[in-house]
Amino acid sequence: MSATAVHSLWTTAAAPGIDKIPAPDIEYAQLAPTLIVLGAAVVGILLEAFVPRKGRYYAQLFLSVVSLAAAFAAVVALAANGYGGTKAQLAAMGAIAVDGPALFLQGVILLTAIVAVFTFAERRLDPASHGNRVDSFAAQGASVPGSDSEKAAVKAGFTTTEVFPIALFAVAGMLVFPAANDLLTLFIALEVFSLPLYLLCALARRKRLMSQEAAVKYFLLGAFSSAFLLFGIALLYGYAGSVSYARIAAVVDGSVTTVDPVLADTMGNDALLLIGGAMILMGLLFKVGAVPFHMWTPDVYQGAPTPVTGFMAAATKVAAFGALLRLLYVVLPGLRWDFRPVMFGVAILTMVFGAIVAITQTDIKRLLAYSSIAHAGFILAGVIAMTDEGISSVLFYLAAYSFVTVGAFAVVTLVRDAGGEATHLSKWAGLGRRSPLVAAVFAVFLLAFAGIPLTSGFSGKFAVFKAAADGGAGALVVVGVISSAIAAFFYIRVIVLMFFSEPKADGPTVAVPSPLTMTTIGVGVAVTLVLGVAPQYFLDLASQAGVFVR
């Protein structure tokens, strides 16, 4: 072919009048919270490369807190401008929903992340090593536990400051997850927040082998759940000819008339819809830790560094329940009578199993893990209600639960012996006499988990159980109340152990934390009491935010 012929081909291709690929239309202002956190995470990686080792810790901490606070300010600004209500819309060419539930959950995730980052940065709990203050994370994540390179890293005073940008990437994924408005965005957000969490779980300074085992378990089971989710997405695409939530919902309720000829054979095939929907639900139920997809929870909660456990237990639940709500209320409301009996069974199993197995636990972190499984069951009761009140009750419960969880795990970091954190329950005997304030604060968190009146736990449980009863799930409320009573036994058992047992002579000490951890615990207590004593404003806020854009 001659050069002139090639040239004429190029000019023809570029000639006006021929359809061009349209440039994507991105609403940067509406996506600001996520973009701020992602930008800060990238800058954090650059800080690791260019800032001298001595200055990294302060630079990363400052960047993380400022970016999370700025992202929260952006969420508040969007809500104040009406994007949580009348101006709710789809952004990024329909991939992201900017509406009440998305903004409410993003706000909760960002506030939880700020107080969790304070526990990441805590450096006063362990004794100084070779004259350097140390945090909860391995000196050098890549070195083999017990190897010469690890010993050299500890001696040189290295710290894994990469945990801050890694946590920011996880937060960015969590912000997108409840706001995702198509199945591919949902999957990408899931991977963006899961992969950093697998890494963070493996970075404990003490008990490194246990920490790495927890990370491998989490990674393998997480990969299974991601595969289920992805296969479900493929089946739903075959069913509806689209990954968009609105399009799938329209095909489910039969309002779509145009059929893609390529998909004519499979489109509207109910087998694809039911199997695909079930697989996506499995992927999301894994993330919330519902039975029978809970196997990873106790091992990962116990093995991961405690600051990471607190962050993961709170923020992941908020993001995953947000995505679950959007899937059930926006995409599959036409399948209500198909999935409701299954969700009923999952919720009952989750509440009862979590409450009963927690009684047998002897490790405080495992006990809190099974407690979190029971709480997933309580929240599912609100999800199953399938009413507007159900949405708002779940939003309120998630806000209340996340701060109690981060606060409780922050207290666990303070009780220490020669081997680091003393998580065996026998070590907590007599803690109320050794350190009355720490024991009292932990008791407040345990009472909130138990749902005792005048704590946020009571307001949250009352809201979800009322929504479930009004939504025709009265049997679920009965099981929930019985499970709560069983759960109250082991929470109160810990309180009795702390205040009414004799402290052992060789018992653990309570470390004095820096203002960072004190702030985390203080915020946790304040939110627990405020949402318990005067919850009405926040319940109203959740009900105003409880409308999905479709």
Side-chain angles (χ1 to χ4, degrees), residues 211-245:
S211 169
Q212 291 179 355
E213 180 194 353
V216 169
K217 282 178 179 168
Y218 193 19
F219 170 66
L220 291 175
L221 289 168
F224 270 120
S225 86
S226 296
F228 274 115
L229 188 88
L230 200 54
F231 200 32
I233 290 171
L235 293 177
L236 276 191
Y237 176 74
Y239 166 81
S242 171
V243 289
S244 159
Y245 282 6

mmCIF file of all heavy atoms in Angstrom, residues 211-245:
data_model
loop_
_atom_site.group_PDB
_atom_site.id
_atom_site.type_symbol
_atom_site.label_atom_id
_atom_site.label_comp_id
_atom_site.label_asym_id
_atom_site.label_seq_id
_atom_site.Cartn_x
_atom_site.Cartn_y
_atom_site.Cartn_z
ATOM 1 N N SER A 211 -0.126 -13.423 62.885
ATOM 2 C CA SER A 211 -0.630 -12.324 62.063
ATOM 3 C C SER A 211 -0.603 -12.715 60.585
ATOM 4 O O SER A 211 -1.572 -12.476 59.841
ATOM 5 C CB SER A 211 0.247 -11.099 62.327
ATOM 6 O OG SER A 211 -0.002 -10.090 61.405
ATOM 7 N N GLN A 212 0.500 -13.338 60.152
ATOM 8 C CA GLN A 212 0.608 -13.728 58.741
ATOM 9 C C GLN A 212 -0.371 -14.856 58.409
ATOM 10 O O GLN A 212 -0.948 -14.890 57.318
ATOM 11 C CB GLN A 212 2.047 -14.135 58.433
ATOM 12 C CG GLN A 212 2.974 -12.929 58.470
ATOM 13 C CD GLN A 212 4.430 -13.273 58.191
ATOM 14 O OE1 GLN A 212 4.785 -14.437 58.050
ATOM 15 N NE2 GLN A 212 5.273 -12.263 58.119
ATOM 16 N N GLU A 213 -0.586 -15.747 59.369
ATOM 17 C CA GLU A 213 -1.576 -16.816 59.162
ATOM 18 C C GLU A 213 -2.970 -16.197 58.975
ATOM 19 O O GLU A 213 -3.742 -16.604 58.093
ATOM 20 C CB GLU A 213 -1.576 -17.755 60.375
ATOM 21 C CG GLU A 213 -2.571 -18.895 60.244
ATOM 22 C CD GLU A 213 -2.825 -19.622 61.572
ATOM 23 O OE1 GLU A 213 -2.128 -19.323 62.559
ATOM 24 O OE2 GLU A 213 -3.723 -20.456 61.607
ATOM 25 N N ALA A 214 -3.293 -15.199 59.801
ATOM 26 C CA ALA A 214 -4.594 -14.525 59.694
ATOM 27 C C ALA A 214 -4.751 -13.898 58.312
ATOM 28 O O ALA A 214 -5.809 -14.008 57.680
ATOM 29 C CB ALA A 214 -4.710 -13.451 60.777
ATOM 30 N N ALA A 215 -3.671 -13.258 57.832
ATOM 31 C CA ALA A 215 -3.740 -12.588 56.531
ATOM 32 C C ALA A 215 -3.948 -13.601 55.397
ATOM 33 O O ALA A 215 -4.733 -13.354 54.478
ATOM 34 C CB ALA A 215 -2.467 -11.785 56.292
ATOM 35 N N VAL A 216 -3.256 -14.750 55.481
ATOM 36 C CA VAL A 216 -3.394 -15.770 54.427
ATOM 37 C C VAL A 216 -4.819 -16.333 54.420
ATOM 38 O O VAL A 216 -5.442 -16.490 53.365
ATOM 39 C CB VAL A 216 -2.351 -16.907 54.623
ATOM 40 C CG1 VAL A 216 -2.655 -18.078 53.709
ATOM 41 C CG2 VAL A 216 -0.960 -16.367 54.339
ATOM 42 N N LYS A 217 -5.364 -16.609 55.617
ATOM 43 C CA LYS A 217 -6.748 -17.109 55.696
ATOM 44 C C LYS A 217 -7.708 -16.083 55.092
ATOM 45 O O LYS A 217 -8.617 -16.431 54.329
ATOM 46 C CB LYS A 217 -7.135 -17.371 57.155
ATOM 47 C CG LYS A 217 -6.564 -18.658 57.711
ATOM 48 C CD LYS A 217 -6.945 -18.824 59.178
ATOM 49 C CE LYS A 217 -6.396 -20.132 59.723
ATOM 50 N NZ LYS A 217 -6.473 -20.222 61.175
ATOM 51 N N TYR A 218 -7.531 -14.830 55.481
ATOM 52 C CA TYR A 218 -8.413 -13.763 54.995
ATOM 53 C C TYR A 218 -8.304 -13.638 53.474
ATOM 54 O O TYR A 218 -9.308 -13.509 52.768
ATOM 55 C CB TYR A 218 -8.007 -12.456 55.691
ATOM 56 C CG TYR A 218 -8.994 -11.315 55.548
ATOM 57 C CD1 TYR A 218 -10.320 -11.529 55.182
ATOM 58 C CD2 TYR A 218 -8.592 -10.005 55.822
ATOM 59 C CE1 TYR A 218 -11.205 -10.480 55.070
ATOM 60 C CE2 TYR A 218 -9.478 -8.957 55.716
ATOM 61 C CZ TYR A 218 -10.785 -9.193 55.340
ATOM 62 O OH TYR A 218 -11.659 -8.142 55.239
ATOM 63 N N PHE A 219 -7.062 -13.714 52.975
ATOM 64 C CA PHE A 219 -6.840 -13.575 51.531
ATOM 65 C C PHE A 219 -7.499 -14.726 50.756
ATOM 66 O O PHE A 219 -8.197 -14.504 49.767
ATOM 67 C CB PHE A 219 -5.331 -13.522 51.251
ATOM 68 C CG PHE A 219 -4.998 -13.614 49.791
ATOM 69 C CD1 PHE A 219 -5.357 -12.599 48.916
ATOM 70 C CD2 PHE A 219 -4.346 -14.724 49.276
ATOM 71 C CE1 PHE A 219 -5.058 -12.693 47.560
ATOM 72 C CE2 PHE A 219 -4.051 -14.823 47.932
ATOM 73 C CZ PHE A 219 -4.403 -13.798 47.072
ATOM 74 N N LEU A 220 -7.273 -15.958 51.218
ATOM 75 C CA LEU A 220 -7.815 -17.110 50.485
ATOM 76 C C LEU A 220 -9.338 -17.123 50.494
ATOM 77 O O LEU A 220 -9.992 -17.286 49.464
ATOM 78 C CB LEU A 220 -7.272 -18.420 51.077
ATOM 79 C CG LEU A 220 -5.774 -18.672 50.847
ATOM 80 C CD1 LEU A 220 -5.325 -19.928 51.571
ATOM 81 C CD2 LEU A 220 -5.474 -18.798 49.348
ATOM 82 N N LEU A 221 -9.923 -16.902 51.673
ATOM 83 C CA LEU A 221 -11.390 -16.900 51.754
ATOM 84 C C LEU A 221 -11.969 -15.679 51.047
ATOM 85 O O LEU A 221 -13.031 -15.747 50.415
ATOM 86 C CB LEU A 221 -11.830 -16.946 53.216
ATOM 87 C CG LEU A 221 -11.564 -18.302 53.889
ATOM 88 C CD1 LEU A 221 -11.731 -18.207 55.397
ATOM 89 C CD2 LEU A 221 -12.488 -19.370 53.347
ATOM 90 N N GLY A 222 -11.238 -14.544 51.124
ATOM 91 C CA GLY A 222 -11.677 -13.347 50.411
ATOM 92 C C GLY A 222 -11.652 -13.548 48.906
ATOM 93 O O GLY A 222 -12.539 -13.077 48.186
ATOM 94 N N ALA A 223 -10.642 -14.280 48.423
ATOM 95 C CA ALA A 223 -10.560 -14.572 46.982
ATOM 96 C C ALA A 223 -11.743 -15.438 46.548
ATOM 97 O O ALA A 223 -12.332 -15.219 45.493
ATOM 98 C CB ALA A 223 -9.244 -15.278 46.674
ATOM 99 N N PHE A 224 -12.116 -16.415 47.400
ATOM 100 C CA PHE A 224 -13.303 -17.237 47.109
ATOM 101 C C PHE A 224 -14.539 -16.353 46.967
ATOM 102 O O PHE A 224 -15.326 -16.485 46.038
ATOM 103 C CB PHE A 224 -13.549 -18.239 48.254
ATOM 104 C CG PHE A 224 -12.857 -19.545 48.053
ATOM 105 C CD1 PHE A 224 -11.923 -20.008 48.975
ATOM 106 C CD2 PHE A 224 -13.137 -20.343 46.950
ATOM 107 C CE1 PHE A 224 -11.279 -21.219 48.801
ATOM 108 C CE2 PHE A 224 -12.500 -21.563 46.774
ATOM 109 C CZ PHE A 224 -11.568 -21.998 47.693
ATOM 110 N N SER A 225 -14.713 -15.453 47.954
ATOM 111 C CA SER A 225 -15.936 -14.639 47.950
ATOM 112 C C SER A 225 -15.941 -13.689 46.747
ATOM 113 O O SER A 225 -16.985 -13.462 46.137
ATOM 114 C CB SER A 225 -16.061 -13.858 49.258
ATOM 115 O OG SER A 225 -15.368 -12.647 49.213
ATOM 116 N N SER A 226 -14.769 -13.162 46.380
ATOM 117 C CA SER A 226 -14.683 -12.289 45.198
ATOM 118 C C SER A 226 -15.041 -13.071 43.940
ATOM 119 O O SER A 226 -15.714 -12.545 43.044
ATOM 120 C CB SER A 226 -13.267 -11.726 45.049
ATOM 121 O OG SER A 226 -12.958 -10.903 46.139
ATOM 122 N N ALA A 227 -14.608 -14.341 43.878
ATOM 123 C CA ALA A 227 -14.917 -15.168 42.711
ATOM 124 C C ALA A 227 -16.425 -15.409 42.599
ATOM 125 O O ALA A 227 -17.009 -15.308 41.513
ATOM 126 C CB ALA A 227 -14.181 -16.499 42.816
ATOM 127 N N PHE A 228 -17.062 -15.697 43.741
ATOM 128 C CA PHE A 228 -18.524 -15.864 43.739
ATOM 129 C C PHE A 228 -19.203 -14.599 43.235
ATOM 130 O O PHE A 228 -20.113 -14.643 42.401
ATOM 131 C CB PHE A 228 -19.024 -16.191 45.155
ATOM 132 C CG PHE A 228 -18.966 -17.650 45.491
ATOM 133 C CD1 PHE A 228 -18.135 -18.121 46.493
ATOM 134 C CD2 PHE A 228 -19.756 -18.561 44.807
ATOM 135 C CE1 PHE A 228 -18.077 -19.471 46.808
ATOM 136 C CE2 PHE A 228 -19.715 -19.909 45.110
ATOM 137 C CZ PHE A 228 -18.871 -20.378 46.111
ATOM 138 N N LEU A 229 -18.741 -13.454 43.763
ATOM 139 C CA LEU A 229 -19.344 -12.172 43.383
ATOM 140 C C LEU A 229 -19.186 -11.945 41.882
ATOM 141 O O LEU A 229 -20.143 -11.562 41.194
ATOM 142 C CB LEU A 229 -18.681 -11.046 44.173
ATOM 143 C CG LEU A 229 -19.330 -9.678 44.027
ATOM 144 C CD1 LEU A 229 -20.432 -9.502 45.059
ATOM 145 C CD2 LEU A 229 -18.317 -8.566 44.191
ATOM 146 N N LEU A 230 -17.996 -12.208 41.363
ATOM 147 C CA LEU A 230 -17.727 -11.954 39.941
ATOM 148 C C LEU A 230 -18.550 -12.885 39.046
ATOM 149 O O LEU A 230 -19.086 -12.460 38.014
ATOM 150 C CB LEU A 230 -16.231 -12.146 39.674
ATOM 151 C CG LEU A 230 -15.672 -11.492 38.408
ATOM 152 C CD1 LEU A 230 -16.005 -10.013 38.368
ATOM 153 C CD2 LEU A 230 -14.170 -11.681 38.324
ATOM 154 N N PHE A 231 -18.688 -14.135 39.464
ATOM 155 C CA PHE A 231 -19.491 -15.076 38.686
ATOM 156 C C PHE A 231 -20.960 -14.645 38.704
ATOM 157 O O PHE A 231 -21.664 -14.715 37.686
ATOM 158 C CB PHE A 231 -19.326 -16.486 39.267
ATOM 159 C CG PHE A 231 -19.708 -17.580 38.304
ATOM 160 C CD1 PHE A 231 -19.537 -17.427 36.936
ATOM 161 C CD2 PHE A 231 -20.238 -18.772 38.760
ATOM 162 C CE1 PHE A 231 -19.883 -18.430 36.040
ATOM 163 C CE2 PHE A 231 -20.591 -19.783 37.877
ATOM 164 C CZ PHE A 231 -20.420 -19.611 36.515
ATOM 165 N N GLY A 232 -21.406 -14.162 39.864
ATOM 166 C CA GLY A 232 -22.772 -13.648 39.968
ATOM 167 C C GLY A 232 -22.997 -12.463 39.052
ATOM 168 O O GLY A 232 -24.053 -12.332 38.403
ATOM 169 N N ILE A 233 -21.994 -11.572 38.966
ATOM 170 C CA ILE A 233 -22.085 -10.404 38.068
ATOM 171 C C ILE A 233 -22.223 -10.864 36.618
ATOM 172 O O ILE A 233 -23.046 -10.345 35.850
ATOM 173 C CB ILE A 233 -20.839 -9.505 38.249
ATOM 174 C CG1 ILE A 233 -20.872 -8.805 39.607
ATOM 175 C CG2 ILE A 233 -20.738 -8.462 37.123
ATOM 176 C CD1 ILE A 233 -19.602 -8.068 39.973
ATOM 177 N N ALA A 234 -21.429 -11.882 36.235
ATOM 178 C CA ALA A 234 -21.487 -12.401 34.856
ATOM 179 C C ALA A 234 -22.884 -12.948 34.545
ATOM 180 O O ALA A 234 -23.455 -12.692 33.474
ATOM 181 C CB ALA A 234 -20.435 -13.489 34.670
ATOM 182 N N LEU A 235 -23.468 -13.683 35.510
ATOM 183 C CA LEU A 235 -24.797 -14.259 35.291
ATOM 184 C C LEU A 235 -25.862 -13.168 35.193
ATOM 185 O O LEU A 235 -26.760 -13.236 34.348
ATOM 186 C CB LEU A 235 -25.141 -15.246 36.415
ATOM 187 C CG LEU A 235 -24.287 -16.520 36.474
ATOM 188 C CD1 LEU A 235 -24.667 -17.374 37.668
ATOM 189 C CD2 LEU A 235 -24.419 -17.330 35.198
ATOM 190 N N LEU A 236 -25.758 -12.152 36.063
ATOM 191 C CA LEU A 236 -26.747 -11.059 36.002
ATOM 192 C C LEU A 236 -26.599 -10.269 34.705
ATOM 193 O O LEU A 236 -27.588 -9.771 34.161
ATOM 194 C CB LEU A 236 -26.600 -10.124 37.211
ATOM 195 C CG LEU A 236 -27.320 -10.544 38.490
ATOM 196 C CD1 LEU A 236 -27.312 -9.401 39.502
ATOM 197 C CD2 LEU A 236 -28.749 -10.971 38.244
ATOM 198 N N TYR A 237 -25.364 -10.153 34.208
ATOM 199 C CA TYR A 237 -25.173 -9.473 32.915
ATOM 200 C C TYR A 237 -25.862 -10.271 31.798
ATOM 201 O O TYR A 237 -26.524 -9.714 30.917
ATOM 202 C CB TYR A 237 -23.679 -9.298 32.603
ATOM 203 C CG TYR A 237 -23.455 -8.682 31.241
ATOM 204 C CD1 TYR A 237 -23.709 -7.331 31.040
ATOM 205 C CD2 TYR A 237 -23.052 -9.453 30.153
ATOM 206 C CE1 TYR A 237 -23.544 -6.748 29.787
ATOM 207 C CE2 TYR A 237 -22.879 -8.883 28.905
ATOM 208 C CZ TYR A 237 -23.131 -7.530 28.728
ATOM 209 O OH TYR A 237 -22.985 -6.968 27.493
ATOM 210 N N GLY A 238 -25.702 -11.599 31.854
ATOM 211 C CA GLY A 238 -26.383 -12.438 30.869
ATOM 212 C C GLY A 238 -27.891 -12.314 30.957
ATOM 213 O O GLY A 238 -28.601 -12.361 29.957
ATOM 214 N N TYR A 239 -28.382 -12.098 32.182
ATOM 215 C CA TYR A 239 -29.835 -11.995 32.395
ATOM 216 C C TYR A 239 -30.392 -10.671 31.879
ATOM 217 O O TYR A 239 -31.443 -10.618 31.247
ATOM 218 C CB TYR A 239 -30.129 -12.140 33.895
ATOM 219 C CG TYR A 239 -31.532 -11.725 34.276
ATOM 220 C CD1 TYR A 239 -32.600 -12.600 34.095
ATOM 221 C CD2 TYR A 239 -31.790 -10.463 34.810
ATOM 222 C CE1 TYR A 239 -33.885 -12.228 34.412
ATOM 223 C CE2 TYR A 239 -33.073 -10.086 35.137
ATOM 224 C CZ TYR A 239 -34.125 -10.965 34.939
ATOM 225 O OH TYR A 239 -35.397 -10.587 35.260
ATOM 226 N N ALA A 240 -29.669 -9.561 32.167
ATOM 227 C CA ALA A 240 -30.236 -8.235 31.890
ATOM 228 C C ALA A 240 -29.589 -7.529 30.703
ATOM 229 O O ALA A 240 -30.109 -6.511 30.233
ATOM 230 C CB ALA A 240 -30.102 -7.357 33.135
ATOM 231 N N GLY A 241 -28.440 -8.041 30.237
ATOM 232 C CA GLY A 241 -27.760 -7.364 29.137
ATOM 233 C C GLY A 241 -27.072 -6.088 29.568
ATOM 234 O O GLY A 241 -26.721 -5.254 28.742
ATOM 235 N N SER A 242 -26.892 -5.910 30.887
ATOM 236 C CA SER A 242 -26.254 -4.691 31.394
ATOM 237 C C SER A 242 -25.782 -4.955 32.812
ATOM 238 O O SER A 242 -26.303 -5.836 33.498
ATOM 239 C CB SER A 242 -27.269 -3.540 31.397
ATOM 240 O OG SER A 242 -26.729 -2.423 32.071
ATOM 241 N N VAL A 243 -24.770 -4.172 33.253
ATOM 242 C CA VAL A 243 -24.354 -4.270 34.657
ATOM 243 C C VAL A 243 -24.926 -3.114 35.472
ATOM 244 O O VAL A 243 -24.697 -3.019 36.669
ATOM 245 C CB VAL A 243 -22.801 -4.284 34.810
ATOM 246 C CG1 VAL A 243 -22.221 -5.593 34.326
ATOM 247 C CG2 VAL A 243 -22.171 -3.098 34.089
ATOM 248 N N SER A 244 -25.687 -2.228 34.832
ATOM 249 C CA SER A 244 -26.264 -1.068 35.526
ATOM 250 C C SER A 244 -27.409 -1.505 36.443
ATOM 251 O O SER A 244 -28.266 -2.299 36.051
ATOM 252 C CB SER A 244 -26.786 -0.062 34.497
ATOM 253 O OG SER A 244 -27.730 0.793 35.090
ATOM 254 N N TYR A 245 -27.423 -0.983 37.670
ATOM 255 C CA TYR A 245 -28.470 -1.344 38.637
ATOM 256 C C TYR A 245 -29.867 -1.042 38.073
ATOM 257 O O TYR A 245 -30.782 -1.858 38.205
ATOM 258 C CB TYR A 245 -28.274 -0.571 39.944
ATOM 259 C CG TYR A 245 -27.184 -1.114 40.845
ATOM 260 C CD1 TYR A 245 -26.351 -2.155 40.422
ATOM 261 C CD2 TYR A 245 -26.986 -0.597 42.115
ATOM 262 C CE1 TYR A 245 -25.353 -2.650 41.254
ATOM 263 C CE2 TYR A 245 -25.985 -1.084 42.958
ATOM 264 C CZ TYR A 245 -25.173 -2.106 42.527
ATOM 265 O OH TYR A 245 -24.188 -2.600 43.344
#
